[in-house]
Amino acid sequence: MKFSKIASAAAAIAAAGMMTVSASALWVPVKDKAEKLHTAVGSSWMVVPFFDGVAEADQGKPVGGIDGLDYSKISKISCTFSVAEEDRDFWDGAIGGAFVLSINGGDLGCDDHKSDKYDTYNWPAQEWWGVVDEDLDIVSAGDDKISAVKVGDYTYKVTSNAFENPLANGDANEIGLIQVAMADYAGTALCQCQVDKVELLDTSDNVLVTFDGKGNYTLGGGSSAPAATDNTPSTPATNVDTGVEGVATVVGVAALAAGAVVLSRKRK
């Protein structure tokens, strides 16, 4: 980030009396969220593509599935996000967190009846860190983590590596719950970002289903919601050195490190 931009941002903060800031870039809260979007506040954006309604620990999550979606093919997660317009003067690219594809229930067990495979598929996470935006002189990508690439002005896309899917590898023929989360826990001091869309991909990067930022979904690569949401349970198919030199440094906010946070959201 160019120094003139940093200085301007710092001046704006001082003028607004905002020298004490929270070192946390959070997802912009979602209003009027769709049924499948279970969590959309703070550091977590999470949809529930399938829930059979059995597990006591998960009551309150949306019950039902998505007609036409072959759950056994889910392998990767892709998230496109953008910086909130009012925060763009302060943007330094310092953001990170984790992809989560959590599958349990059914043959994997749940609650007090967990199988020996339960922990393998319940809440596995892949960390991601930083963005690359040459137009803004931002290269905050981490060498050992997945990073986001620019796809538009202040808009970035980050894609996970492949997750193990128990329906694909034979560890389960039936499951009870699928959760897909984008956790933001590294962040930057002043900027909020919003989830624009999340896509679930197969091993060949074909888009299986797309969720918009509110959790509306459509099969394939679209972004609009279907006319109605299926609420009927069904059995799924079997088939840093970050280079952070921006506003956080100017206002004296402590440096943030991706991966320093232990994921503790595993279902009990």
Side-chain angles (χ1 to χ4, degrees):
M1 178 178 272
K2 295 179 180 179
F3 182 78
S4 60
K5 191 171 184 179
I6 299 171
S8 297
I13 296 167
M18 295 169 55
M19 292 304 290
T20 300
V21 295
S22 171
S24 180
L26 303 178
W27 298 125
V28 174
V30 176
K31 298 179 181 179
D32 303 320
K33 64 181 183 179
E35 182 184 14
K36 290 297 183 186
L37 181 55
H38 178 65
T39 306
V41 64
S43 61
S44 179
W45 186 99
M46 187 180 82
V47 290
V48 181
F50 175 81
F51 180 36
D52 63 6
V54 172
E56 293 182 5
D58 293 290
Q59 296 306 307
K61 294 177 181 177
V63 176
I66 297 176
D67 282 344
L69 175 60
D70 186 344
Y71 304 102
S72 70
K73 291 184 178 180
I74 298 173
S75 177
K76 302 178 184 179
I77 304 168
S78 177
C79 177
T80 301
F81 63 91
S82 56
V83 183
E85 187 172 354
E86 63 270 23
D87 292 343
R88 292 180 178 182
D89 284 343
F90 311 126
W91 176 239
D92 60 5
I95 186 173
F99 295 97
V100 176
L101 174 62
S102 183
I103 302 175
N104 51 49
D107 296 334
L108 302 173
C110 60
D111 296 330
D112 296 328
H113 304 284
K114 300 172 183 176
S115 74
D116 59 357
K117 297 289 186 179
Y118 178 90
D119 288 337
T120 300
Y121 301 104
N122 181 62
W123 215 258
Q126 295 181 23
E127 293 181 342
W128 62 280
W129 172 248
V131 304
V132 176
D133 191 333
E134 295 180 356
D135 293 333
L136 296 177
D137 296 330
I138 294 174
V139 183
S140 60
D143 293 337
D144 60 342
K145 292 182 175 66
I146 305 163
S147 298
V149 296
K150 181 175 181 175
V151 293
D153 290 344
Y154 295 93
T155 304
Y156 308 91
K157 183 176 182 179
V158 58
T159 302
S160 75
N161 296 314
F163 285 87
E164 283 292 322
N165 185 319
L167 294 170
N169 64 21
D171 279 349
N173 291 317
E174 294 184 3
I175 53 96
L177 176 66
I178 300 176
Q179 301 175 105
V180 176
M182 283 298 299
D184 171 4
Y185 59 62
T188 186
L190 299 174
C191 299
Q192 289 193 105
C193 294
Q194 66 183 29
V195 174
D196 296 322
K197 70 176 178 179
V198 167
E199 297 168 311
L200 303 187
L201 315 172
D202 65 16
T203 55
S204 299
D205 294 331
N206 297 306
V207 178
L208 302 173
V209 63
T210 300
F211 296 89
D212 67 14
K214 292 186 176 183
N216 298 302
Y217 66 85
T218 187
L219 293 178
S223 59
S224 59
T229 300
D230 173 23
N231 290 316
T232 304
S234 59
T235 300
T238 58
N239 356 26
V240 201
D241 191 82
T242 64
V244 177
E245 55 183 358
V247 180
T249 304
V250 175
V251 300
V253 177
L256 301 166
V261 176
V262 176
L263 293 176
S264 60
R265 308 177 75 88
K266 283 196 174 185
R267 196 174 78 181
K268 303 299 183 183

